[in-house]
Amino acid sequence: MLEQAEPPRQLRADMLRFARGLTHEFNNTLASIQGFAEIAASLAADDSPMQSRALQNILRGCEHAEAAIRTARIMAGRAECRLVPLDLVQTVQVWLDERRGTLPERVRVTLIVGDTSGEDVAAQSSCLSGHHALLHVPGDSQLLGLALNALWDNALHALSGGGEIVVNISSRDDGAVVALEVLDTGSGMTADVLAACADPYFTTRESEGAKGLGLSLARGIAWLHNGNFFVESSPEKGTMVRLLLPQTGRTAGSEIATYRVDAGIR
């Protein structure tokens, strides 16, 4: 399989600086617009419904713009996230269980933990606990769920004719790193698409309404966890996305009280 490596450190630093400057300027302008719109809405006359509707539309637009700013920060690895010790296997198991009912009929999902052989998700039980005592990471469950959602959507699209998705969680580098891999047996990517697949807003499905955010978000979330991100793919042979996350030796109950901002540049 062809592999898309992590961008060089300087490129990551340039992306971070660009995102910081752009979102700062845009956020200041947005805050001014939103503030004055809220004042105007509170003073709007009751006998002017058109004015009230216009102001509410402005405020809704501000909310959408705020969401876009947060997305840009995540893609650049520059967003607040609260890292606490997570049992990554349990987190992924719960996430998969929530999606069993939406799985297309001709798609099979397998979860593999460490060196275990893996089982069909529909038949899995809670007996995995003995296999992942060391697979804890300092993580933000909401952001990791967002990354998994993005990888899941991409994999399902690649399996339009059916196939298999494999989620593999394992310890690497003598226990220093946990690898979270999502593999599919779908259509795969050509070399030129692979080279650009994690670029913000890059998509080959623009006609279908795709925004090209998925892999960019997943990569930014890996950076926010002080981790790395890789993609391997070949046409007609499927795709594998790998997040490498630093492992914690702490027990999954004590909180790591930290916020990561401007993470991912080491």
Side-chain angles (χ1 to χ4, degrees):
M1 276 192 175
L2 301 173
E3 179 176 7
Q4 185 207 54
E6 278 276 272
R9 175 173 176 168
Q10 184 57 48
L11 176 58
R12 291 173 63 176
D14 290 344
M15 292 173 62
L16 180 60
R17 184 166 52 252
F18 174 77
R20 181 190 297 118
L22 179 63
T23 57
H24 176 74
E25 293 296 327
F26 192 66
N27 199 51
N28 286 346
T29 302
L30 180 63
S32 178
I33 295 171
Q34 188 170 17
F36 283 113
E38 289 173 349
I39 293 172
S42 68
L43 299 175
D46 294 336
D47 59 353
S48 180
M50 183 175 293
Q51 181 184 20
S52 295
R53 284 197 301 272
L55 290 168
Q56 291 304 316
N57 284 335
I58 292 173
L59 291 173
R60 279 194 291 271
C62 289
E63 292 175 357
H64 293 157
E66 285 180 331
I69 290 173
R70 173 160 174 76
T71 296
R73 286 174 169 166
I74 292 174
M75 288 191 295
R78 185 188 180 268
E80 287 189 355
C81 69
R82 197 174 194 201
L83 303 182
V84 300
L86 289 181
D87 180 333
L88 191 58
V89 175
Q90 182 181 42
T91 299
V92 172
Q93 179 71 70
V94 170
W95 178 86
L96 284 172
D97 287 345
E98 291 174 350
R99 279 148 187 83
R100 280 187 299 179
T102 63
L103 194 65
E105 183 177 349
R106 299 180 61 189
V107 174
R108 181 175 182 267
V109 178
T110 301
L111 173 62
I112 299 177
V113 178
D115 295 326
T116 59
S117 60
E119 303 173 36
D120 192 305
V121 170
Q124 290 226 0
S125 68
S126 60
C127 65
L128 288 169
S129 58
H131 299 287
H132 63 275
L134 299 178
L135 298 180
H136 292 87
V137 299
D140 183 310
S141 59
Q142 184 175 4
L143 285 175
L144 287 174
L146 185 63
L148 286 167
N149 286 343
L151 302 184
W152 176 264
D153 289 343
N154 278 8
L156 285 180
H157 173 77
L159 295 173
S160 57
E164 183 175 17
I165 299 173
V166 177
V167 181
N168 185 18
I169 306 172
S170 61
S171 181
R172 303 284 180 89
D173 296 340
D174 295 326
V177 173
V178 176
L180 171 60
E181 299 173 337
V182 178
L183 306 89
D184 68 67
T185 59
S187 54
M189 292 182 250
T190 59
D192 57 331
V193 172
L194 177 64
C197 68
D199 291 352
Y201 302 103
F202 172 82
T203 180
T204 59
R205 297 184 286 127
E206 189 171 355
S207 62
E208 302 172 27
K211 296 181 179 180
L213 301 178
L215 292 180
S216 296
L217 282 171
R219 183 177 65 182
I221 290 166
W223 290 352
L224 282 166
H225 287 75
N226 293 321
N228 290 312
F229 174 92
F230 300 90
V231 183
E232 296 179 12
S233 188
S234 291
E236 308 307 323
K237 294 184 179 180
T239 298
M240 186 277 295
V241 181
R242 179 188 299 120
L243 279 66
L244 296 178
L245 307 175
Q247 190 163 276
T248 178
R250 303 189 186 192
T251 58
S254 60
E255 179 179 322
I256 298 176
T258 183
Y259 281 80
R260 298 291 182 184
V261 181
D262 295 352
I265 305 299
R266 295 199 292 272

